[in-house]
Amino acid sequence: MDNEKIKQILLDIQDTKLDFTVIQTGKDSKRVNGLYKPDTHEILLHNKNFKTDNQLVYTAVHEYAHHLITEETLAVSGSSAPINAKVHNQAFWVKFNELIGIAEKKGYYVIGIENSPELEKLTEEIRTNYLEKNGRLMQEFGRLLAKAHELCEQANIRYEDYVDRVLCLPRTTARDVVKLGIVPVNPALGYDNMKLVAGIRKPEDRSAAEKQLMNGESPVTVREMMKRSSDASRSDDPKSKLEKEKSRLEKTITQLQQRLEYVEDALGNM
C-alpha cells in the first residue's frame, strides 16, 4: 500500500481542511510504530514494523487522530501545540476510537479475532470466567460491605476506621464497591466498567451506557458520551446554569475573604 492510498483512506474516514503528508519510512523501530509531527503535519509510519496492511492502517489511523486533534487545537488557540501537554489524553482516545470504528465499518480495518480460533476460545474464557465472575464477586463484596456498615453503626464503631484499619481498604474503593452492591449493573461488563456504569445517576442513561459497552464501545468513548449528554442537559436548564454560577461565585467570595483575612493579619503584625 503506497502513501497516497493511505492518505485517501484516512480522508475517507474523516475529511480535514488541514493538509498532511503520509510518509512510510522504510524502517523498523522498537520504540514506536508511527509518529505525527504537528509542526509539519507529517504522518510517519515505520512500515517495517508491520506484517500486514491491516496493521499499517491501524497505526495510520492512530497518527491521523493526532492530526485531527491538532487541527481542532489550531482552530481554538492558533497554535499546533496541544492545550493539554499530554497528547494521549481522553480527547485523543475518544477521537481515535471514533476513527477506528469508522475504518472498520468501511472495511479498511478488521480486528480479526475470528482468524484465530484459539484466541476466540481464550477471549470467551476471559469474559466468562474472569470478567463476569469477578463482576459478580464484586457485587457480593459490595453487599457485604453495606452489611458491615450497618453492623458498625449498631456496635457504635466508626465505619471509616473499620475500612481504614481493619479491612485496610482505600475509602474510595470501599465506596465504589458498595455502589455495585446497590445499583443493578450487568456483571459481564467487568469490575471497572461496572464502576463506570454504576456512577451514572439516571437509570435510562445507565442502561444506554451498559448497552454501548456490551456492543463494543470503548470505556473512554462511553465516558465521553455520558459527559457530553450531562453537559448538554445542564446547558439547557436555566436553573442549573444559575446554580452553577452561584456555586462558582460563593467559592470565589470564600477565597477572597480568606485572602483578605490573611492580608489584614499581615498588616496588623507590621
Side-chain angles (χ1 to χ4, degrees):
M1 188 180 296
D2 62 28
N3 295 333
E4 186 58 29
K5 176 63 175 177
I6 296 169
K7 182 173 181 177
Q8 291 308 313
I9 287 173
L10 296 177
L11 288 170
D12 190 44
I13 292 171
Q14 182 174 321
D15 199 9
T16 176
K17 294 180 181 179
L18 182 64
D19 194 27
F20 65 97
T21 305
V22 175
I23 301 171
Q24 296 183 72
T25 65
K27 302 176 182 178
D28 59 14
S29 171
K30 293 181 179 180
R31 294 185 60 211
V32 293
N33 291 320
L35 183 68
Y36 176 69
K37 293 186 174 182
D39 295 333
T40 57
H41 312 310
E42 292 175 309
I43 292 176
L44 305 182
L45 303 172
H46 298 312
N47 50 301
K48 293 294 184 180
N49 281 17
F50 312 119
K51 295 180 181 179
T52 66
D53 284 346
N54 197 53
Q55 294 175 333
L56 177 66
V57 167
Y58 182 87
T59 297
V61 171
H62 178 109
E63 303 308 333
Y64 189 51
H66 284 301
H67 176 73
L68 294 176
I69 292 289
T70 296
E71 183 178 29
E72 293 172 3
T73 304
L74 279 168
V76 172
S77 67
S79 169
S80 61
I83 296 172
N84 186 335
K86 184 179 179 182
V87 293
H88 288 138
N89 54 20
Q90 178 163 309
F92 168 80
W93 290 116
V94 169
K95 173 58 70 177
F96 170 68
N97 285 317
E98 175 190 346
L99 297 179
I100 204 67
I102 296 171
E104 260 189 316
K105 289 176 182 176
K106 287 180 174 283
Y108 296 129
Y109 172 77
V110 292
I111 193 167
I113 292 177
E114 66 279 0
N115 296 327
S116 172
E118 187 177 1
L119 180 57
E120 277 192 306
K121 183 179 178 181
L122 179 61
T123 301
E124 185 58 30
E125 181 181 354
I126 290 171
R127 284 175 172 162
T128 304
N129 294 335
Y130 294 88
L131 288 176
E132 186 168 351
K133 280 189 177 179
N134 185 53
R136 294 188 186 281
L137 185 65
M138 297 309 284
Q139 283 179 326
E140 181 59 28
F141 185 16
R143 288 189 282 268
L144 292 176
L145 278 179
K147 180 64 176 176
H149 195 169
E150 292 177 8
L151 294 175
C152 282
E153 289 186 344
Q154 291 173 15
N156 297 318
I157 294 170
R158 285 300 299 265
Y159 174 69
E160 295 86 353
D161 195 23
Y162 172 76
V163 168
D164 289 344
R165 299 194 301 124
V166 176
L167 297 182
C168 298
L169 275 176
R171 294 188 187 186
T172 53
T173 300
R175 181 198 62 210
D176 290 341
V177 172
V178 167
K179 190 175 292 184
L180 295 185
I182 299 170
V183 180
V185 182
N186 187 347
L189 295 173
Y191 175 58
D192 288 300
N193 286 332
M194 290 170 72
K195 284 196 299 179
L196 170 61
V197 173
I200 300 171
R201 292 184 179 182
K202 295 182 179 179
E204 60 270 24
D205 290 342
R206 284 201 302 271
S207 178
E210 186 175 295
K211 184 177 180 181
Q212 288 165 345
L213 288 164
M214 293 299 293
N215 287 338
E217 288 286 2
S218 71
V220 69
T221 299
V222 172
R223 186 178 290 109
E224 183 65 17
M225 285 178 180
M226 302 316 300
K227 180 179 179 296
R228 289 175 184 175
S229 175
S230 177
D231 289 345
S233 176
R234 284 198 296 268
S235 66
D236 292 338
D237 181 4
K239 183 179 178 182
S240 295
K241 281 185 177 180
L242 289 172
E243 287 176 343
K244 188 174 182 180
E245 184 178 3
K246 177 176 178 288
S247 176
R248 185 170 61 249
L249 290 170
E250 288 174 342
K251 184 177 180 181
T252 301
I253 290 169
T254 299
Q255 291 173 338
L256 289 172
Q257 286 175 335
Q258 290 174 346
R259 180 62 183 172
L260 178 59
E261 290 174 3
Y262 170 79
V263 171
E264 287 176 340
D265 286 344
L267 287 171
N269 292 325
M270 286 183 177

